[in-house]
């Protein structure tokens, strides 16, 4: 099933690699938000790949900083 993007907001950057070194591709998305001052995009979303071809999502707060690049 497609992954819902309801928690992603104006992605500034996407990076793909095996970040946790488990042999499966993972992805990281920055959530920049609609503007610098909105505060809506102050997280980084990590999708960890699995053997089943699915992903588990983790959202990491950035402490109020809008992130553009990973």
């Amino acid at each position: 099933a497609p992954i819902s993007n309801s928690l992603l907001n104006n992605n500034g950057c996407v990076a793909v690699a095996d970040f946790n070194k488990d042999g499966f591709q993972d992805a990281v998305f920055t959530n920049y938000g609609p503007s610098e001052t909105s505060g809506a995009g102050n997280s980084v979303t990590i999708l960890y790949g699995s053997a089943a071809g699915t992903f588990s999502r983790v959202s990491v707060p950035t402490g109020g900083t809008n992130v553009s690049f990973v």
Side-chain angles (χ1 to χ4, degrees):
I3 295 174
S4 167
N5 66 354
S6 63
L7 297 177
L8 302 176
N9 191 351
N10 192 14
N11 303 108
C13 184
V14 177
V16 178
D18 182 10
F19 296 112
N20 58 356
K21 304 205 185 298
D22 63 358
F24 305 106
Q25 291 296 305
D26 309 312
V28 175
F29 300 85
T30 60
N31 301 312
Y32 185 73
S35 70
E36 284 186 37
T37 57
S38 73
N42 55 6
S43 68
V44 173
T45 300
I46 306 166
L47 300 177
Y48 291 110
S50 73
T54 60
F55 294 91
S56 60
R57 177 186 293 185
V58 176
S59 184
V60 180
T62 62
T65 302
N66 284 333
V67 178
S68 297
F69 301 98
V70 292

